[in-house]
Amino acid sequence: MSDLIIRNCRPNGGDTADILIRNGRIAHIGTVTDAPGVAEEDAGGRIAIPGLVDTHTHLDKALLGHPWYRNDVGPNLLDKIDNERAVKKALKLDPYTQAMRQSLLSLSWGTTHIRSHVDVDTDGGVSAVEGVMRAKAELAGTVDIEIVAFPQSGLMRRPGTLELMDQAMAMGADMVGGLDPCGIDRDPKGHLDAIFALAEKHGKPMDIHLHEPAELGAFSMEMIFERIEALGMEGRVAISHAFCLGANDWNRTQGLIDRCAELGVAILTTAPASRDVPAIKRLDAAGVKVGAGNDGFRDTWGPYGSGDMLERAMFVGMRNNFRRDVEVERALAICTTGGAEVMAIEDYGLTEGGLGDVVVVEGAALADAVSRHAVRPLVVRGGKVVARDGETLRKAP
Amino acid sequence: MSDLIIRNCRPNGGDTADILIRNGRIAHIGTVTDAPGVAEEDAGGRIAIPGLVDTHTHLDKALLGHPWYRNDVGPNLLDKIDNERAVKKALKLDPYTQAMRQSLLSLSWGTTHIRSHVDVDTDGGVSAVEGVMRAKAELAGTVDIEIVAFPQSGLMRRPGTLELMDQAMAMGADMVGGLDPCGIDRDPKGHLDAIFALAEKHGKPMDIHLHEPAELGAFSMEMIFERIEALGMEGRVAISHAFCLGANDWNRTQGLIDRCAELGVAILTTAPASRDVPAIKRLDAAGVKVGAGNDGFRDTWGPYGSGDMLERAMFVGMRNNFRRDVEVERALAICTTGGAEVMAIEDYGLTEGGLGDVVVVEGAALADAVSRHAVRPLVVRGGKVVARDGETLRKAP
């Protein structure tokens, strides 16, 4: 835990100020005159924001550092899932190494907190969880990682997976994951009963992938709601993607959104351009907690993405037709304070007493910073410089 | 017209070769051994593509070079239109200067051909057309610009505009533009009769903005078809945006798409994430010509965009859920050969006898280049180096 003065910055796009960090916490924002012996950085009048929060990604399987992967995979979801397991084997992809690479790449963009789903399946067992747990331990306090044990290849359709999920939780995974109980697993009752039982057994919260659109997703979501109520899991379940909340039937969809608010179900979105997605303003109006994530990127699923949550804020804004500055600022807030609330990050934000995490960005206004998403000149974590000009001080393996 | 050897490049992502340009044309692709006295560039094994083609933008009114514009504009299309005229006046925005800035920025990304809509209205008269015509003349052979006289503020609803459109065409604008005959102008018959009459009078082709969704856009599109047939304008009309071709009613929409193919109507898309848009694969299957454009960017309409057509190819790919390499390559092709066909650029492409326009890009494969859309190391136009490392040799005013 370090001391640092960041001079001449504009916290959250406001007036120019200095930020004094002492013992890793923000001690003062304003004019700092007397702090003898404390190291200084000059932000050159640039905007400072708190650490970016990526609430949905897959640290174990981006292909960072590997040669270009030519994607010829089939059109169905199961094609992609089966292909991924095969490619991981062929490349001998090491989850620890990939997690280190992606986490440090994210840190270079100013991301300080990541929630990662990590594959658990009968091919790889719990080795990916082990690998990402090792990265998590090494990076604690630099990039804080939350691990969701994730049955990517299905749970009921691949016997043995549930036992591995149980093992992953016993090893210390932070959350229980789930995936398309109808679309992938073809057994919604079996799937949801199993993962909720795991969450209850290990006393852990949940984050469930739900790509199922329209009525199918609505059906699965209702079954999730039923189990949240029955088990008293209010406020402890997130649903990722939730494409069914972007469906056309207004009344039907509003009922689901209102239930998310009542049951404290957070919605985590990547705001994909090609799918129906929940509208941010609609979730906000209903009081639903919202975070955003980059999802997997440059992996066997697709070529796009950089790992940058400022770019993701742009995608959130573009998907939601956010054009006014206040709207683009909301898209950014989902990638900072929104994610921080979902991940329950204590003392988050540029405020006295808050975490000494400061990201200096290029741009004359917050919306400009989102639009440009240029290389970050400076990233500070707990009062310590961790990245400069897009390069982390710690190098990835 | 210059001579140049580009050594050690991978034309369109294929095998490594040299490209010999003589008198501004590609003379040979392969191994070049004896070309004494010809200047050389080393592409370092990178991929080379032909010039990028931006078939839909607004050169007269991006705010490039101006301070950040804080966008607080109202939600309606007319709010945005009225606001823009007011801001242009307040900033004394000079269309020539803005066109030079944007064209050279585009050139730094490797864009060699641009179709620009240019505002004609009773506030600015034809001054924007004059300004962009001046930029067009100065940049001829460097960035080739096609000018569409564009009634951004409406035609029938603002008396005097039609006469100004006529004047713009008489001055030498290349195409007649139009805009939402129902949604903006509230007089589809009046609007379409007027612009088609202008096209007939001046013997020029047309490019019509059509944002109207679903049945409203379908109605306007049918009225456009009727006039194309009546006036024998087959192959000479493009429709920009064409959101109605992304509507849900499959049969209704397919009928419109098939008519576009029959009448040679090109569809120009920006692939926005927030709107229903025509699916590229569907247009391809019907044999409709497709180009892409960046539209306005960093202007009073919204903060996003960089002017880069490789980034636009990424947006096209993301909007269409293109993940396989061949799909991403198709998204890129829309921004190169697709646009070149729409703009009828002669001898376009990396082929012997073709234009000596070569853009060197970063990335191991074409899809990688689209995904990264990194700064272009080298842009060559007619055998002459025009930009290096993202900086044009000619500087903008």
Side-chain angles (χ1 to χ4, degrees), chain A residues 196 206-208 210 212 217-226 228-229 233-247 251-269 277-280 282-291 341-342:
Chain A
F196 272 88
M206 307 176 73
D207 190 331
I208 303 169
L210 193 61
E212 296 163 4
F219 167 68
S220 291
M221 199 174 267
E222 286 174 333
M223 291 187 70
I224 292 169
F225 295 156
E226 288 159 12
I228 290 172
E229 274 206 303
M233 292 274 292
E234 289 87 351
R236 291 170 60 78
V237 178
I239 298 180
S240 286
H241 304 304
F243 296 147
C244 63
L245 298 185
N251 285 311
R252 173 70 164 134
T253 308
Q254 191 63 36
L256 298 170
I257 290 172
D258 289 341
R259 284 295 279 159
C260 287
E262 285 164 16
L263 298 173
V265 172
I267 299 298
L268 307 183
T269 185
V277 292
I280 299 300
R282 190 174 186 186
L283 297 177
D284 285 350
V288 176
K289 284 183 285 188
V290 187
E341 190 188 352
V342 170

Side-chain angles (χ1 to χ4, degrees), chain A residues 68-75 80 248 271-275 298 301-305 311-329 331 364-373, chain B residues 68-75 80 248 271-275 298 301-305 311-329 331 364-373:
Chain A
W68 179 249
Y69 168 73
R70 183 172 175 88
N71 189 326
D72 295 311
V73 73
K80 297 184 175 88
N248 266 335
S274 60
R275 299 298 300 257
R298 295 182 73 85
W301 294 75
Y304 310 113
E311 184 189 43
R312 183 59 47 186
M314 179 182 77
F315 292 143
V316 170
M318 292 175 81
R319 183 67 186 82
N320 285 272
N321 200 22
F322 286 174
R323 293 158 177 255
R324 299 173 63 172
D325 277 55
V326 290
E327 293 173 329
V328 182
E329 288 161 13
L366 288 169
D368 189 19
V370 169
S371 171
R372 291 194 199 186
H373 51 277
Chain B
W68 178 250
Y69 168 73
R70 183 172 174 88
N71 189 327
D72 295 312
V73 73
K80 297 185 175 88
N248 266 334
S274 61
R275 299 298 300 258
R298 295 181 74 84
W301 294 75
Y304 310 112
E311 183 189 44
R312 182 59 48 186
M314 180 183 78
F315 291 144
V316 169
M318 292 174 80
R319 183 66 186 83
N320 284 272
N321 200 23
F322 286 174
R323 293 157 176 255
R324 299 173 62 172
D325 277 55
V326 290
E327 293 173 329
V328 183
E329 288 162 12
L366 287 171
D368 190 18
V370 168
S371 171
R372 292 193 198 186
H373 52 277

